[in-house]
Amino acid sequence: MRREAIAGLIVWAAVCVPLAVGKETAKKLLGDESDGSRAYSVHVIPLYAENEKGEKGERVDPNAEQVMPFSTRWTCGECHSYGTISRGWHFNAVDANVPAGRPGEPWLYFDSKLGIQVPLSYRPWPGTFRPERVGLTPFEVTKIFGRHMPGGGPGEITAIEPDDVAKQYVSGKLEVNCLACHNAHPGQDQGSPTGYAVQVARTDFRWAAAASSEFADVTGSAADMPATYDPFMAEGEGPKAPRVTYNKNAFDAKGSVFMQIVREAPDERCYFCHSDLSCAGGDEKPEKWSQDQDVHLAAGLKCVDCHRNGLQHNIVRGYDGEAAESGNTMAAATSCRGCHLGDESGRRPDGGRLGAPVPVHKGIPAVHFERLTCTACHSGPWPGDKTVLAKTSRAHRLGTPNVAKDERVLPHVISPVFAKQTVTDPNESRLTTPKIGPHKLVWPAYWGTLTGKNEVEPIALATVSKVVGAVMKDANVPSTGDWGEVKEEQVAKALKALGDSGEQKPVYVTGGMLYQLNDDGTLAGPKEHPAAAPYLWPVAHNVRPAAQSLGVGKCTVCHSPKSPFFFGKVAVDSPVASVSNIALRQYEFQKVPHGRTWAFAFSFVFRPWFKVVAIGSAGLIAIVLLLYGLRALGAIARVLAEQE
Amino acid sequence: MFQTITDTALLVTFLGIAVHLTLYPTRLPRQAATCRLVRGSVHTLSLLLIEQKSSLLGALKKLVYLVTVLCFLVLAMTGFWPLLVRGQHISGYFMMIHATFAPVFALCLAILAVTWAGSYSFAADDCAWVQRLLRRTTRLRVPAEERPWRCSRLLQKVTFWLILFLALPLILSIIVSMFHLLGTGWQHATLAIHRWTGLAFVIVAILFTYFAIRVRMTDEA
């Protein structure tokens, strides 16, 4: 009897305890689910730091002797599932299981003296390189580009390189900085001399989130500390040691802090990473006040009205066909088509969301919607006779201290380029329809080696810096931050030096061309090569109002022999003068033949005459039909009348 | 669907012509019929060998007809070839050629409408079956027609007027879409109207040509 009882107890425990535990681990945290209230939740919360083991540490006390920066993982993570959030789109670039989706803006590593401008991305976008292919570890990527990252991603990868392991112990990991998006306080500091971006550049990863907040100040630099420095020990601190000082007035009597947290990120938070500026060239420098913002924002919408996400932070990117690739259920509804037109096959009307005007597109043949994206006519700068340079937050460090403001500063991002992009038809997920849309473009420039498969593998930046740097050490780099002029003789010397250093078949890729050495050591090139192809990514903003869309009022805006849409020049960017003097045309990126495109554009000269002749002929035929029809009626009437 | 219907319609048309020709031959010896068929076709297509006493106006009318036929062939080819052969909508060079010949065709068709309307007017002897019907069903005194009823001539006239009737939606459906009048939904509709009207137009034009040849052959019999 006793044995049976004990056995039953064991079975019960074996069944129920895992269930209970499982239930506990699946349980959502307080902030994971909304109760439906649209009011803001007031965040008066305690702050927690992370301890040396990477676990939840002590509660932050501003009066303590050893004050550590608060950790968003352990502070925000008390109520919001940090693990779930950190797998969201902004943080999951390093996850190979995440579909890459439509190509987006890469990180651009550049070095004017070495003649390098290379697009990097952890996402497998064709034309970009994974940072490790150029010898950049996740730690280094975080240090260089983390200024415009919201944390997470490569910043949370545990270092494996011996140097990086030691550095990471000092610096900490760059956690997801929830405040970068969700702190509505005007004191949220991403770009000041003591703000987030500067702390990241100093590898003060552990301190970056605190530095960005309005109630903490961070001094010092982890990058200047020796590998033996222990940030968790108060002893041995010097003036360069990273240190956080909290505003004691921000803490209430219970030691909690009020944080102005909002669910919907304010536009200014998005703008820190997602601003861009078109440089029209000439004497007039572009200014924010002279360029209109996106028409959606001017109409009162917020960025997050379209770019939505739930707890998973799988944010809507807003492109056609995203619904087939993204797990976000709002992806289709918040694309251009989804908001403005809705699902025309649906049982209920869902176009015109958020007050979006339903377009009629009077006079535009339907073939345009098969060949062009919405953004082709409605987004980006108005196409001119030649492309212009554009600046973006992530490429040009906009909003951070000591940014070079010259238009020609590297990296050179060229815009707008009307090129074909593959769009997944939302109605048939397998169907891909190449459509023309506006893009930004960058011409990669890098040193590499030619493999047996006629592909180019980039050489590690450290090697290039050492070998090519020695050749180019006397090169003049303009103060504007533009390319220094690289002559072909220098290219030849650099290639020879790389070959002597052990690199097999070194090449230099620039401006769509490739240089290599012949067997006799002379320079061969420049010649076209697939590896030198430019990298393009679609442009969606700023959206212009309908009255400023391409083709408004006149077909000849695009369909004429001098139209910038087809025949505008696309600059080729390279430090080598003989390559950068080449100019391409927009139609080459649209993959349409020049002759046919020109002939079709020219035919529009005769279009008014076409209309006159056709209408006149139709009128004449109608008169003949009417006349003889009336005569026939008259004849019938006469016959009937006579017979009576 | 349009491709299938077009294939079927054209096939049915040509088969129908073949059957009609078989069932209702022109009652001429085979060799003579073949010879007359060729001559009739040439006459019908060129209209340059008849009426040796034709005036300048007559020659111009024949030239207009020749241009019309040429334009029609080009338009039919450029309009239907991409669809029937490649399964694609018209685009590129085909589109440009189609758009170039279209106004010429429209103008020539209008001229033909004006110059030929008189000779293609319906007369009492064109409607023998109507006369018979009236005599049998009403108390109208309709004289019996002694001359045999010329079926081909009547059908030729019918197809002529059908061509003119179909030309209006064919031309206007494309012209209207070029103005800032119609939204996307109506653009699709006008394109569909142009497509289907074009199909009907081609079929009627083929029938018109067939009956014209028959009439020419019968006249020379």
Side-chain angles (χ1 to χ4, degrees), chain A residues 105-111 116-122 129-132 134 136-152 154-155 174 190 196-198 200-203 205 272-273 393-397 400 411 461:
Chain A
E105 183 177 350
W107 297 107
L108 291 169
Y109 184 93
F110 64 93
D111 189 313
I116 292 175
Q117 176 175 271
V118 60
L120 304 174
S121 178
Y122 283 105
F129 299 96
R130 282 187 69 91
E132 53 263 28
V134 294
L136 288 178
T137 63
F139 187 90
E140 287 165 332
V141 168
T142 309
K143 180 183 174 184
I144 298 170
F145 301 114
R147 48 175 165 78
H148 280 92
M149 284 182 187
L174 188 66
Q190 294 289 116
Y196 181 86
V198 169
V200 170
R202 293 174 182 168
T203 69
F205 300 154
F272 181 75
C273 296
S393 295
R394 283 171 283 167
H396 298 88
R397 297 197 300 117
T400 62
L461 294 171

Side-chain angles (χ1 to χ4, degrees), chain A residues 284-320:
Chain A
E284 283 188 26
K285 278 199 170 178
E287 295 283 348
K288 281 183 287 193
W289 60 265
S290 63
Q291 296 189 352
D292 291 339
Q293 64 175 303
D294 189 286
V295 69
H296 296 90
L297 298 178
L301 267 72
K302 302 186 289 293
C303 304
V304 293
D305 283 328
C306 298
H307 298 284
R308 298 187 178 194
N309 59 262
L311 176 70
Q312 290 77 12
H313 282 63
N314 191 12
I315 197 166
V316 169
R317 296 177 65 196
Y319 60 89
D320 258 348

Side-chain angles (χ1 to χ4, degrees), chain B residues 173-208:
Chain B
S173 58
I174 282 300
I175 289 302
V176 166
S177 70
M178 290 185 182
F179 291 92
H180 283 242
L181 293 171
L182 303 177
T184 307
W186 279 105
Q187 290 280 341
H188 283 294
T190 54
L191 195 62
I193 290 170
H194 188 76
R195 198 175 289 153
W196 290 102
T197 312
L199 174 63
F201 189 95
V202 164
I203 291 169
V204 172
I206 291 171
L207 292 173
F208 172 81

Side-chain angles (χ1 to χ4, degrees), chain A residues 353-615:
Chain A
R353 290 181 57 245
L354 304 175
V358 179
V360 181
H361 291 125
K362 283 185 181 176
I364 301 179
V367 67
H368 288 78
F369 309 113
E370 297 168 17
R371 301 277 177 90
L372 303 173
T373 61
C374 304
T375 50
C377 300
H378 291 284
S379 295
W382 188 271
D385 293 334
K386 54 184 179 180
T387 50
V388 298
L389 290 176
K391 287 188 178 182
T392 71
S393 295
R394 283 171 283 167
H396 298 88
R397 297 197 300 117
L398 301 184
T400 62
N402 301 321
V403 170
K405 296 182 182 175
D406 192 275
E407 288 183 10
R408 296 285 314 172
V409 66
L410 285 177
H412 287 166
V413 176
I414 291 165
S415 172
V417 177
F418 292 91
K420 260 194 185 159
Q421 58 178 298
T422 302
V423 174
T424 305
D425 190 310
N427 295 319
E428 295 183 53
S429 63
R430 295 181 188 171
L431 181 68
T432 53
T433 309
K435 291 189 178 183
I436 297 170
H439 291 72
K440 287 190 170 81
L441 175 152
V442 66
W443 292 97
Y446 58 97
W447 304 86
T449 56
L450 201 60
T451 66
K453 296 178 188 175
N454 199 31
E455 293 169 348
V456 177
E457 187 63 29
I459 297 173
L461 294 171
T463 306
V464 171
S465 181
K466 183 180 163 191
V467 175
V468 178
V471 173
M472 306 284 198
K473 62 180 187 299
D474 296 325
N476 285 329
V477 175
S479 59
T480 54
D482 196 354
W483 289 119
E485 192 190 347
V486 174
K487 296 177 182 167
E488 288 188 340
E489 299 79 42
Q490 289 172 299
V491 173
K493 276 186 191 171
L495 288 174
K496 187 173 183 313
L498 284 168
D500 292 341
S501 73
E503 300 291 343
Q504 298 292 321
K505 294 187 182 177
V507 297
Y508 179 52
V509 168
T510 182
M513 299 288 181
L514 179 137
Y515 286 96
Q516 64 183 121
L517 293 177
N518 291 320
D519 293 337
D520 59 359
T522 54
L523 189 67
K527 62 179 182 180
E528 290 184 5
H529 193 280
Y535 177 73
L536 296 94
W537 66 97
V539 164
H541 294 286
N542 288 334
V543 178
R544 302 190 302 273
Q548 293 179 15
S549 52
L550 290 185
V552 63
K554 284 192 291 187
C555 304
T556 47
V557 168
C558 296
H559 294 292
S560 72
K562 293 184 181 176
S563 154
F565 184 87
F566 285 110
F567 305 104
K569 288 183 187 174
V570 177
V572 174
D573 175 56
S574 170
V576 181
S578 59
V579 172
S580 62
N581 287 336
I582 303 166
L584 301 177
R585 299 283 176 169
Q586 296 277 5
Y587 62 79
E588 298 182 61
F589 294 88
Q590 297 162 23
K591 300 194 174 36
V592 291
H594 171 246
R596 193 183 78 192
T597 308
W598 184 90
F600 186 69
F602 185 69
S603 70
F604 275 72
V605 172
F606 307 102
R607 197 170 160 97
W609 290 105
F610 177 104
K611 293 177 188 174
V612 169
V613 169
I615 292 173

Side-chain angles (χ1 to χ4, degrees), chain B residues 138-154:
Chain B
T138 67
R139 285 187 287 181
L140 292 172
R141 283 179 291 160
V142 178
E145 185 51 61
E146 292 177 1
R147 284 193 297 170
W149 175 41
R150 297 177 61 192
C151 171
S152 295
R153 181 67 182 160
L154 171 65

